[in-house]
Amino acid sequence: MPSQSKNSLSVEIVACAFIFFAATASAQTPTERGKSLMDDGKYNEAKAVLETVGQRDAVASLYLGQIALEQNDPKKGVDWLER
């Protein structure tokens, strides 16, 4: 019986580790999430996500500029692209 208990515990530990690493590997940064939303044509959602990091993330700024241009707001687009 004790060896079966050890095996069961080992399987549980491996399963927990797998779930943990799978969850952390699939986590996206706000910039990645914003880009994904942009790719899906969800510009307003992407804008909301990207604005949280746009002031300090050059790539997010670029995406925000592209969104503004796509939404016919060239002044805001240029503002974002010049950051």
Side-chain angles (χ1 to χ4, degrees):
M1 243 350 155
S3 65
Q4 184 180 10
S5 179
K6 286 182 182 180
N7 287 340
S8 177
L9 182 60
S10 295
V11 169
E12 289 175 10
I13 290 172
V14 170
C16 287
F18 176 77
I19 291 169
F20 172 77
F21 288 114
T24 57
S26 67
Q28 291 182 318
T29 66
T31 302
E32 293 167 335
R33 177 73 181 133
K35 175 64 167 133
S36 178
L37 289 165
M38 276 179 59
D39 291 343
D40 292 340
K42 299 176 180 178
Y43 297 113
N44 289 331
E45 291 177 50
K47 182 178 171 183
V49 171
L50 292 167
E51 284 178 336
T52 65
V53 294
Q55 296 294 331
R56 62 185 185 278
D57 184 328
V59 175
S61 243
L62 171 68
Y63 295 153
L64 285 162
Q66 291 174 336
I67 289 169
L69 294 174
E70 185 68 32
Q71 294 180 328
N72 296 316
D73 190 348
K75 183 180 180 331
K76 185 161 282 264
V78 169
D79 287 345
W80 278 114
L81 293 170
E82 288 182 341
R83 292 177 192 219

